[in-house]
Amino acid sequence: MLKGKVFRFGDGISTDHIIPGRYTHLRSNLPELAKHTLEDADATFASRVRHGDFVVGGKNFGLGSSREHAPLVIKMCGVGAVLAETASRLFFRNAINVGLPILLCDTSGIQDSDELEVDLTGGTVHNRTKGFTVTCSRIPQSMLRILEEGGLVEYIKRHGDFEF
Amino acid sequence: MVFTLAEKILGLKTGKECRGGEIVIAPADLVFIQDTTGPLTVRQFDAMGFTKLANPKRSVLFLDHAAPCPQKEFANDHQLMRDFARRTGAFLSDVGEGVCHQLVAESWAGPGDIVVGADSHTVTAGGLGAFASGFGSSDVAVAWALGKTWIRVPESFLINLSGSLTRGVYSKDLILHLIGLLGADGATYKSLEFGGEGVGNLSVPDRLTVSNMAIEAGAKVGLFPSDDLTREYLEDHGRGEQYIPLSADPGAAYERVLDIDLSVLEPVVARPHTVDNVAPIRGLDNTPVEQAFIGTCTGGRLEDLAEVASVLKGKQRHPDTRLLVAPASRQILSDAIQAGYVQTVIEAGGIILPPGCAACLGMHQGVLGDGESCLSTANRNFLGRMGNPNGFIFLGSPASAAAAAITGHITDPRELM
Ligand code: SF4
């Protein structure tokens, strides 16, 4: 069970919002890059986010680039999970690959600073502030395995191949 | 049994019947990285303890995004990539060769190939009938090591084309129009498949431009059939032996079918800050632009530069509008010099940038100032994309960008033809 506070974003948060191209030179210096996470959507996010907090978006979260650095820096900020109504294919797959939980559900009733409890295995999000629970779409079994084992690198280190 | 193009290619490659929604393990025919997502791919490859590529002859590293390097961090990443190519026998495409997707089309991908690229616009090679899609760094590292990846077989949309484009209207206008119809997430996870008699009226470079932007509607792949034009393109690039004919079966199951008559399309632009914010160019005539940028994997091909030169010929750029032109590959630059297009650009007051991504992603060679607008032939106009969240990016055809450079504001290119 994950518990934390919501950082609420709108629809269409792109990988350029998450890590702007002007910081591309920091991509081999991830701790430095992480200080700019989501800067073009909320300039104070990286300094305010606490371990276990949630990034909550609307439609098409993470559209744009294939940069795996986008979910990676969100994870490095301590974010417990990303919740969105829908997510781009690449962001979704990359999030799982870096071991960042991503859940798709109706996020319309979730507001900034709400306190949430997220049950990853059950696929539910309980909003403690507003007192309601929403169910998330199921992650395919093979992807869930990769996520549970800490991401694709750890998964391949352990199994040496895809086991599905 | 009938199959969509996506199901057919994945079926041929995996040797079993593939249907939308299934997850399959598929062999990777070409696996490539570029210099912004690639360094992490190299590190993930090393972190997993791999030392050998499954297929070094079909593994490519492109140095194109930061080329030549604007900062020492990039230069060091380039060293890391050159060193990796040396120790594994992968092919290195060094600074100045051009943008990865253009080079993949010119020299590598063929119909029926599965192309795994560490860049979202890997979809470009769908214009040649390749199942080409973008993946993150870790996935690409695994594909390098194991020679395969997992793919969820996409459901498909059929974009049924008829007619042909009229003067002043281009494949860029077609794909922007389509993204406007679908929305930026309208085709998420899907295969966008182009069919109908109109396909034969689009050249391979046109198709590459269309497939390139399939991702801007969220699609996993943007696929064209492989036909006589594909064969000619491959032959022209010395790769005729890679040709196989490919098309979807009549009656294949599509989740959605959209009909587009190419002959009624008009020039359009995508307005800031989303690609689906599409409007006819006519209503935006008075919008001033401080920069016109022609280039990228979407709009920097020889055919694009030919249109640009025909608009610019004998004219001067507007004094308040910078004109930047980056041919997408060294071959294109060389051909454009031969054809006189480069001279035309320079005489019009433009700047030729080295083949590569140039100003596209906002780290060098054309960053916008606060409040400035750019009409760009690229594929993305996200906030901050060109290096400044206080800049405004409009996307349009190469002819539209050339027209804006002349008049200093957004202009229907047909007015200058
Ligand atoms: S030209 Fe632009 S869109 Fe194309 S690969 Fe380079 S940065 Fe990406």
Side-chain angles (χ1 to χ4, degrees):
Chain A
M1 187 74 77
L2 307 170
K3 284 185 193 160
K5 194 163 69 86
V6 169
F7 282 80
R8 179 71 220 218
F9 297 88
D11 292 339
I13 296 296
S14 76
T15 49
D16 282 285
H17 286 105
I18 302 170
I19 31 170
R22 62 182 180 280
Y23 298 124
T24 311
H25 64 289
L26 297 178
R27 285 200 196 167
S28 290
N29 183 354
L30 291 169
E32 223 20 68
L33 186 63
K35 291 183 187 161
H36 300 284
T37 305
L38 279 157
E39 185 171 290
D40 282 354
D42 173 354
T44 63
F45 171 79
S47 56
R48 291 189 298 133
V49 67
R50 294 283 163 264
H51 192 82
D53 285 347
F54 300 105
V55 164
V56 179
K59 292 199 179 83
N60 209 9
F61 192 90
L63 75 152
S65 155
S66 66
R67 58 191 79 146
E68 193 170 297
H69 313 68
L72 203 51
V73 292
I74 292 177
K75 188 183 174 195
M76 287 177 70
C77 286
V79 169
V82 171
L83 313 181
E85 250 172 87
T86 57
S88 84
R89 166 192 162 258
L90 274 164
F91 187 88
F92 190 86
R93 185 163 173 154
N94 285 340
I96 302 285
N97 281 349
V98 302
L100 172 69
I102 178 162
L103 295 159
L104 305 183
C105 59
D106 178 3
T107 57
S108 57
I110 304 175
Q111 286 176 321
D112 200 51
S113 300
D114 282 358
E115 296 282 341
L116 304 182
E117 279 175 15
V118 173
D119 175 0
L120 282 180
T121 29
T124 56
V125 175
H126 177 62
N127 190 325
R128 298 205 307 167
T129 310
K130 303 255 160 41
F132 67 83
T133 302
V134 289
T135 311
C136 309
S137 359
R138 297 183 73 86
I139 300 176
Q141 198 53 41
S142 44
M143 293 183 91
L144 204 55
R145 278 279 302 283
I146 294 172
L147 178 65
E148 283 167 357
E149 297 193 16
L152 186 64
V153 168
E154 293 307 315
Y155 177 95
I156 291 291
K157 271 208 255 179
R158 185 162 313 144
H159 304 285
D161 202 342
F162 298 110
E163 299 223 315
F164 53 97
Chain B
M1 258 180 299
V2 291
F3 298 97
T4 64
L5 205 38
E7 290 169 339
K8 189 174 273 191
I9 296 172
L10 293 172
L12 283 171
K13 285 292 170 186
T14 58
K16 63 187 199 89
E17 193 180 309
C18 291
R19 292 294 180 191
E22 285 170 44
I23 288 180
V24 298
I25 305 286
D29 298 300
L30 175 68
V31 183
F32 73 87
I33 63 170
Q34 39 87 337
D35 52 348
T36 71
T37 55
L40 183 58
T41 311
V42 167
R43 292 192 177 97
Q44 302 292 56
F45 184 88
D46 292 343
M48 286 181 283
F50 293 117
T51 53
K52 281 198 169 57
L53 298 165
N55 202 351
K57 295 217 152 35
R58 303 289 293 171
S59 302
V60 190
L61 299 89
F62 293 97
L63 306 185
D64 55 354
H65 283 60
C69 295
Q71 280 151 300
K72 66 179 187 308
E73 288 84 354
F74 291 115
N76 292 336
D77 280 346
H78 282 191
Q79 285 182 338
L80 177 86
M81 290 173 67
R82 289 193 187 95
D83 172 63
F84 184 85
R86 246 177 253 127
R87 70 177 143 107
T88 58
F91 186 90
L92 181 83
S93 175
D94 215 318
V95 172
E97 291 299 322
V99 184
C100 53
H101 309 301
Q102 176 58 27
L103 296 168
V104 163
E106 285 177 11
S107 305
W108 296 92
D113 282 353
I114 293 178
V115 179
V116 172
D119 189 282
S120 59
H121 294 104
T122 301
V123 286
T124 310
L128 286 166
F131 190 99
S133 196
F135 291 82
S137 300
S138 298
D139 270 319
V140 175
V142 172
W144 259 351
L146 303 181
K148 58 188 175 181
T149 190
W150 67 267
I151 293 172
R152 182 184 171 281
V153 184
E155 291 87 8
S156 299
F157 288 1
L158 173 64
I159 313 301
N160 190 32
L161 303 176
S162 60
S164 45
L165 294 166
T166 56
R167 187 168 160 72
V169 185
Y170 302 92
S171 56
K172 184 64 175 288
D173 297 300
L174 159 63
I175 187 61
L176 286 174
H177 173 75
L178 176 61
I179 293 162
L181 289 178
L182 290 169
D185 59 351
T188 300
Y189 303 115
K190 308 298 175 197
S191 164
L192 272 189
E193 305 197 357
F194 297 84
E197 41 99 8
V199 162
N201 298 325
L202 294 176
S203 68
V204 168
D206 285 339
R207 297 173 188 182
L208 295 170
T209 298
V210 171
S211 290
N212 174 277
M213 291 188 69
I215 176 74
E216 309 311 330
K220 173 180 280 183
V221 285
L223 294 174
F224 276 83
S226 167
D227 58 13
D228 286 345
L229 293 176
T230 319
R231 183 177 44 74
E232 283 165 30
Y233 180 92
L234 291 169
E235 282 168 3
D236 286 350
H237 291 83
R239 299 191 292 124
E241 75 288 351
Q242 274 181 272
Y243 175 72
I244 51 164
L246 265 182
S247 57
D249 294 320
Y254 292 103
E255 206 172 281
R256 212 175 144 184
V257 178
L258 267 86
D259 294 307
I260 297 182
D261 179 355
L262 298 174
S263 61
V264 303
L265 296 180
E266 298 270 312
V268 290
V269 288
R271 297 164 292 181
H273 297 287
T274 58
V275 185
D276 58 358
N277 191 11
V278 176
I281 205 163
R282 283 213 180 266
L284 293 157
D285 305 47
N286 291 322
T287 314
V289 297
E290 286 76 17
Q291 182 164 298
F293 172 49
I294 294 157
T296 81
C297 55
T298 323
R301 284 179 258 284
L302 190 66
E303 296 69 14
D304 299 320
L305 302 187
E307 295 300 327
V308 166
S310 84
V311 172
L312 296 179
K313 189 87 197 158
K315 301 189 190 75
Q316 278 296 306
R317 72 172 172 90
H318 188 277
D320 297 332
T321 307
R322 307 177 290 273
L323 168 60
L324 312 180
V325 179
S329 73
R330 195 156 62 94
Q331 186 65 53
I332 294 169
L333 173 59
S334 170
D335 292 346
I337 290 170
Q338 290 282 322
Y341 307 151
V342 166
Q343 189 65 22
T344 303
V345 169
I346 293 168
E347 281 171 8
I351 302 162
I352 299 288
L353 298 171
C357 301
C360 183
L361 82 165
M363 42 195 217
H364 64 162
Q365 298 177 5
V367 172
L368 298 179
D370 288 345
E372 285 188 340
S373 293
C374 178
L375 182 44
S376 164
T377 67
N379 42 37
R380 287 199 173 131
N381 60 350
F382 300 157
L383 184 84
R385 176 77 180 176
M386 292 183 80
N388 186 346
N390 300 318
F392 299 88
I393 306 166
F394 294 82
L395 305 176
S397 74
S400 296
I406 300 299
T407 63
H409 52 83
I410 293 178
T411 303
D412 187 330
R414 294 173 299 189
E415 286 170 19
L416 298 184
M417 288 178 165

